[in-house]
Amino acid sequence: MPGRSVPPAPLAEWLEEGGPRQVGRVMALYGSPVPWWRVVRADGVLLPGHELEALGRYRAEGTPLKEASRAAEGHLPRLDMRRARWDGDERAEGHT
């Protein structure tokens, strides 16, 4: 199964607690031991300041990506959220 990702708002809704800002705060304070790169913006843009590390992890996990156009800032790909979005229903077996 390819890597999956989720924006902060649906993650907070799935957890039934807090909101996107609270998810962001927890990830900022405690994110290093968890798969922080899987919590992404809803448009699939890579996390500012962590783009290259996250991109390497996405590629290693087989997370679906959309190649950037030449007009895109930094020409970095973004996640294909239509294919990569985790909806909370399937188990992400083999992924931590």
Side-chain angles (χ1 to χ4, degrees):
M1 171 172 38
R4 300 281 185 222
S5 293
V6 64
L11 180 58
E13 184 178 321
W14 185 77
L15 293 171
E16 297 181 352
E17 189 162 328
R21 290 182 190 271
Q22 287 80 12
V23 169
R25 181 75 174 145
V26 168
M27 295 304 290
L29 293 174
Y30 308 105
S32 62
V34 298
W36 55 265
W37 60 94
R38 293 199 188 137
V39 179
V40 299
R41 289 176 26 172
D43 62 3
V45 171
L46 305 185
L47 297 170
H50 302 282
E51 298 95 331
L52 296 179
E53 184 178 355
L55 185 57
R57 292 176 185 265
Y58 298 138
R59 287 185 169 145
E61 292 179 347
T63 303
L65 299 169
K66 284 186 173 183
E67 291 304 317
S69 70
R70 290 182 180 236
E73 185 177 332
H75 304 289
L76 289 171
R78 60 188 173 110
L79 272 67
D80 181 345
M81 292 304 291
R82 184 183 61 77
R83 295 177 24 222
R85 185 177 176 141
W86 181 67
D87 62 9
D89 288 339
E90 65 185 47
R91 300 192 126 221
E93 305 225 1
H95 295 279
T96 55

